[in-house]
Amino acid sequence: MSDSRTPLARVPLSRVPLRVREMTLADCPRVAEIRVRGWQSAYRGLMPQSYLDGLDVSAELTRRRAHFEQAAPGVVNLVAEWAGEVVGWACHGPYRGEEPPAVDAGRDGGAGDAELYAIYVDPGRTGRGVGRTLLRESVGRCAAAGHDRMLLRVLRENAGARRFYERAGFTADGAEEPYEVEGVEVPEVRYTRLLER
């Protein structure tokens, strides 16, 4: 007798509600896996393969737990959950740049600028709206917290990620930062978006 049920992995995301919630410590193992697999997938051909191959989920788990437990005030970790499985992660908070691109006090007494520190989706779930949903939630939360703008950094050569942010209303502001991996220069460009309060 055959089972007529469709395996969850084949069910379109649109038919199962995607839920965004704040991350908990218990989510750290899955977030570490998503981050490592995300780097290995998104940065293939952009960073040395030996570096990407050497990324280790257990080492990343140690870092994720430490970052989560010692998060600075204003740092928010979000996860996207689909049918009970964490399929994406985003982290945002106050802008960390040395020289703020806007008046730090913010307009109208606002909270100044925010920064998207990270956003990763399980490579098997990309192209299904998980990243868009996480980004939309981060942008909304930053606007609700009174931030004037949201900034982020993306590898200059990561054309797919740059298009993703541009479709979400972010624009490159001309700032570029050096970034090096195993002696290879992989510069980052800064993107910004005004937030409506």
Side-chain angles (χ1 to χ4, degrees):
M1 183 173 177
S2 67
D3 186 353
S4 62
R5 292 175 294 177
T6 304
L8 189 56
R10 292 191 211 154
V11 175
L13 265 176
S14 60
R15 293 183 51 204
V16 177
L18 184 65
R19 180 180 148 214
V20 176
R21 62 172 173 78
E22 291 204 16
M23 180 178 156
T24 67
L25 189 60
D27 295 317
C28 285
R30 182 67 176 130
V31 167
E33 180 183 4
I34 288 170
R35 188 169 187 274
V36 167
R37 301 298 173 242
W39 269 63
Q40 291 171 330
S41 174
Y43 302 143
R44 183 175 290 118
L46 301 175
M47 291 187 178
Q49 192 60 45
S50 59
Y51 176 78
L52 296 174
D53 291 343
L55 294 175
D56 179 65
V57 174
S58 62
E60 178 61 25
L61 174 56
T62 301
R63 281 191 293 278
R64 279 307 103 214
R65 282 184 176 139
H67 283 295
F68 184 79
E69 291 176 324
Q70 300 164 15
V75 172
V76 177
N77 285 277
L78 300 171
V79 294
E81 197 173 57
W82 179 58
E85 177 189 10
V86 172
V87 294
W89 163 69
C91 183
H92 67 262
Y95 180 65
R96 300 174 295 180
E98 289 180 19
E99 53 182 77
V103 177
D104 199 39
R107 64 178 188 261
D108 303 326
D113 292 328
E115 182 177 349
L116 179 68
Y117 305 142
I119 185 167
Y120 291 96
V121 174
D122 180 320
R125 303 285 188 220
T126 58
R128 299 179 183 195
V130 176
R132 282 189 308 273
T133 301
L134 278 168
L135 183 57
R136 187 171 37 249
E137 182 71 18
S138 284
V139 167
R141 285 179 181 229
C142 288
H147 292 287
D148 299 325
R149 299 188 303 171
M150 184 175 233
L151 296 98
L152 59 90
R153 290 179 180 80
V154 60
L155 293 183
R156 183 178 65 199
E157 302 305 318
N158 192 341
R162 291 181 73 168
R163 280 191 305 272
F164 169 77
Y165 293 122
E166 288 164 3
R167 283 192 303 263
F170 287 84
T171 56
D173 69 2
E176 189 170 300
E177 287 194 28
Y179 188 67
E180 186 178 304
V181 176
E182 290 187 344
V184 176
E185 292 289 328
V186 285
E188 296 178 312
V189 291
R190 189 173 63 197
Y191 273 66
T192 185
R193 175 182 164 170
L194 288 175
L195 301 178
E196 294 181 22
R197 291 194 256 154

